[in-house]
Amino acid sequence: DTGVSQDPRHKITKRGQNVTFRCDPISEHNRLYWYRQTLGQGPEFLTYFQNEAQLEKSRLLSDRFSAERPKGSFSTLEIQRTEQGDSAMYLCASSLRSASSTDTQYFGPGTRLTVL
Amino acid sequence: DQQVKQNSPSLRVQEGRISILNCDYTNSMFDYFLWYKKYPAEGPTFLISISSIKDKNEDGRFTVFLNKSAKHLSLHIVPSQPGDSAVYFCAASVLGNTPLVFGKGTRLSVIA
């Protein structure tokens, strides 16, 4: 049973560079979520997809952030012109949403981003 | 404005005793609640959930209690084991169908 996977696990970049993270959800899951977690805080919602459709974006998600899920399977999160404030753990979660089930989300190991 | 609050940043419990972690929420629209456990450098691991139509849900050593009138839920771990030492997050959603809103977490330390 493969869970949610994320790549890379760690990324160190210089301010102003672009970075891209990948998330592979649990195979039969139709929903995919991105969260961000900083020290001492709980995860904060960024955006989510149902299949390939992006259904909601948080106001935390500035114009420098973009996410895609082109074929309803894996997803990418890109941050352009990174800033030091972008340093955080980026978490991906997936779930199977159906008419008869509630949305229990299962998380990947996260990508830790450090912007120097 | 924090909609989900975990007011105890940390909790120390002796091995074999009961651990009780608390969570309060302010949004009366929340109707599905989850607890996650997180080890350092890992993603949150789902532990147990409860729907607002219930007031208790049990899974092995873990029991979650929901008091809707008080907008309060708690996670009981009995008996506590050293491997339970981690940060525990409470999370909530509306209709079990919206992005999760998390508390800030409680760090549980189980002492042998």
Side-chain angles (χ1 to χ4, degrees), chain A residues 17-112:
Chain A
Q17 298 293 305
N18 299 343
V19 294
T20 299
F21 309 141
R22 176 180 170 124
C23 171
D24 287 87
I26 294 170
S27 58
E28 67 270 22
H29 283 185
N30 53 5
R31 283 201 172 175
L32 186 149
Y33 296 80
W34 286 100
Y35 292 84
R36 179 172 68 187
Q37 185 178 19
T38 54
L39 198 61
Q41 303 293 318
E44 294 176 295
F45 166 72
L46 293 178
T47 187
Y48 85 102
F49 296 83
Q50 178 153 315
N51 301 312
E52 64 274 10
Q54 190 171 19
L55 294 190
E56 188 176 341
K57 293 193 289 188
S58 164
R59 62 176 183 271
L60 291 177
L61 210 65
S62 78
D63 292 344
R64 297 184 295 105
F65 288 67
S66 61
E68 294 184 342
R69 193 182 184 200
K71 296 183 180 178
S73 57
F74 73 92
S75 175
T76 58
L77 177 68
E78 181 183 16
I79 309 174
Q80 296 183 326
R81 305 180 304 282
T82 52
E83 301 173 356
Q84 288 183 324
D86 296 332
S87 296
M89 174 78 86
Y90 289 83
L91 294 163
C92 176
S94 71
S95 68
L96 177 62
R97 176 61 183 168
S98 69
S100 59
S101 70
T102 48
D103 199 11
T104 298
Q105 297 175 31
Y106 296 89
F107 284 80
T111 294
R112 176 158 302 281

Side-chain angles (χ1 to χ4, degrees), chain A residues 9 31 33 35 37 40-45 48 56 89 91 97 101-110, chain B residues 2 32 34 36 38 41-46 49 51 89 93 95-105:
Chain A
R9 295 290 306 274
R31 283 201 172 175
Y33 296 80
Y35 292 84
Q37 185 178 19
Q41 303 293 318
E44 294 176 295
F45 166 72
Y48 85 102
E56 188 176 341
M89 174 78 86
L91 294 163
R97 176 61 183 168
S101 70
T102 48
D103 199 11
T104 298
Q105 297 175 31
Y106 296 89
F107 284 80
Chain B
Q2 258 205 304
Y32 186 57
L34 308 91
Y36 288 85
K38 189 178 185 301
E42 294 185 12
T45 301
F46 170 69
S49 62
S51 165
F89 290 98
S93 71
L95 296 176
N97 190 26
T98 58
L100 296 175
V101 178
F102 283 84
K104 290 189 176 184

